[in-house]
Amino acid sequence: FSLAACAKGGAQAEADPLAALTAPSSWGASNPDWVQPYEPFRVIGNIYFVGPRGLGAWLIAGDEGHILLDAGLPENAPLIARNIEALGFNISDIKILLNSHAHFDHSGGLAAMKLLTGARLLAMEGDRSALEGGFYLGSEDDEDMSAPPVVVDGIVGDGETVRLGAVALTAHLTPGHTRGCTTWTLTAEEAGEGYEGLFFCSATGAAN
């Protein structure tokens, strides 16, 4: 794929679907750390941080494919793709996209990552309308808080486990920040020991 096209806007964005999905937002300008490059790194076991400096995006790697949890702002997608490949992984091996919650700074890059990878997006039913409608629930008329719409390919229920080979993440519905706010848990192995990992959604009201 061409990351160069992601940086172009205007008429190019209209002709290039990827460019349109990664157009700069006002939030990147007002929160520079949200778009600042950051060197990706392994956290523990098969868990890697692949986001920009100020926003979380996580790769959970597996022998039968990888899972990406969250994708930051729309314009973060090219950076996340570069970070994943800098770690030695192929983005074409990402088979599942997950989301902590349907807000532009966590879900904004999902549409572009789906286009780049062909992966399936799984989410809670409570966030489906916001993800597919591209709006911020509670602020539907505020275009500055919108995100590129993205199709949800499958619904995950509270307590259900998403599996990809040996990789397994369990979804826990923790609503409030959004209706489908999802906290994910997994077990990571490091030096023969198992460690319980938790990707917490949020506990704030988030303008709702």
Side-chain angles (χ1 to χ4, degrees):
F1 64 95
S2 173
L3 289 174
C6 298
K8 298 180 181 179
Q12 176 69 21
E14 295 179 6
D16 186 333
L18 184 58
L21 293 173
T22 57
S25 66
S26 61
W27 295 97
S30 58
N31 299 273
D33 61 324
W34 288 8
V35 293
Q36 183 178 349
Y38 198 77
E39 184 174 354
F41 61 92
R42 188 175 70 87
V43 178
I44 188 172
N46 60 337
I47 303 172
Y48 299 82
F49 179 82
V50 294
R53 182 178 182 87
L55 292 174
W58 312 90
L59 183 75
I60 299 91
D63 292 337
E64 297 184 31
H66 315 314
I67 295 174
L68 179 67
L69 171 57
D70 284 348
L73 295 169
E75 60 264 46
N76 290 151
L79 180 151
I80 291 170
R82 285 194 297 268
N83 280 351
I84 291 169
E85 297 200 330
L87 290 167
F89 300 107
N90 293 320
I91 63 167
S92 61
D93 290 331
I94 296 173
K95 304 303 181 184
I96 297 175
L97 301 175
L98 300 177
N99 184 220
S100 60
H101 59 278
H103 283 164
F104 57 87
D105 53 337
H106 294 264
S107 64
L110 289 173
M113 290 306 301
K114 189 173 185 179
L115 180 63
L116 287 169
T117 64
R120 299 176 66 243
L121 172 62
L122 308 179
M124 287 278 185
E125 179 62 41
D127 275 353
R128 184 173 193 165
S129 63
L131 289 167
E132 295 192 333
F135 57 79
Y136 189 107
L137 195 63
S139 300
E140 291 87 348
D141 296 330
D142 188 346
E143 292 188 3
D144 283 341
M145 301 178 78
S146 65
V150 58
V151 173
V152 176
D153 300 295
I155 297 300
V156 180
D158 184 28
E160 290 187 359
T161 298
V162 174
R163 300 184 184 276
L164 183 61
V167 177
L169 286 91
T170 300
H172 306 271
L173 181 61
T174 50
H177 195 73
T178 67
R179 290 177 182 170
C181 194
T182 308
T183 293
W184 296 92
T185 59
L186 80 169
T187 300
E189 292 189 7
E190 180 79 13
E193 298 288 336
Y195 295 87
E196 296 304 306
L198 181 144
F199 299 94
F200 184 58
C201 180
S202 182
T204 72
N208 293 314

